[in-house]
Structures are given as C-alpha cells and as structure tokens.
Amino acid sequence: MKIYSMIETAKANELDPLKYLSFLLEHRPGAEMSDEELEQFAPWSKLAQKTCK
C-alpha cells in the first residue's frame, strides 16, 4: 500500500512514478536525516521536480 501511495503522490505532482521511485531508492532517505534533508525527497521539492519529470 505504501508503494501505491508513493506512485499516486508522484502522479499528483506531475512526476514520472518510475523515475521518482528510482530517485528515492538511489538516495535512500532515512530516519537519521534531519527534516530539512528529508524535505528534499518530497515529490513537490525542487530537487524531485527537476530530477523526476
């Protein structure tokens, strides 16, 4: 169910879902990251928008 939610959120933010999932897997965001670091992996972030369109 989590993967489905990530795919639908990517679509809602006009990202390519496969590129977005690959982006997340390549960078492996984790619990030890600060909120600011994790924010860059949100589908609406500038980095995700630039990388995953």
Side-chain angles (χ1 to χ4, degrees):
M1 192 63 152
K2 290 180 184 180
I3 298 295
Y4 177 77
S5 295
M6 291 180 355
I7 289 170
E8 291 303 314
T9 303
K11 288 180 185 178
N13 285 277
E14 300 179 356
L15 300 179
D16 179 306
L18 181 58
K19 286 183 182 180
Y20 183 60
L21 291 175
S22 295
F23 169 73
L24 292 175
L25 290 171
E26 285 175 18
H27 294 90
R28 298 180 187 217
E32 69 282 349
M33 293 180 155
S34 69
D35 289 344
E36 292 79 23
E37 290 172 314
L38 289 172
E39 181 68 26
Q40 68 183 330
F41 298 106
W44 52 84
S45 73
K46 289 180 184 178
L47 179 60
Q49 288 288 318
K50 184 175 92 173
T51 306
C52 305
K53 285 257 178 178

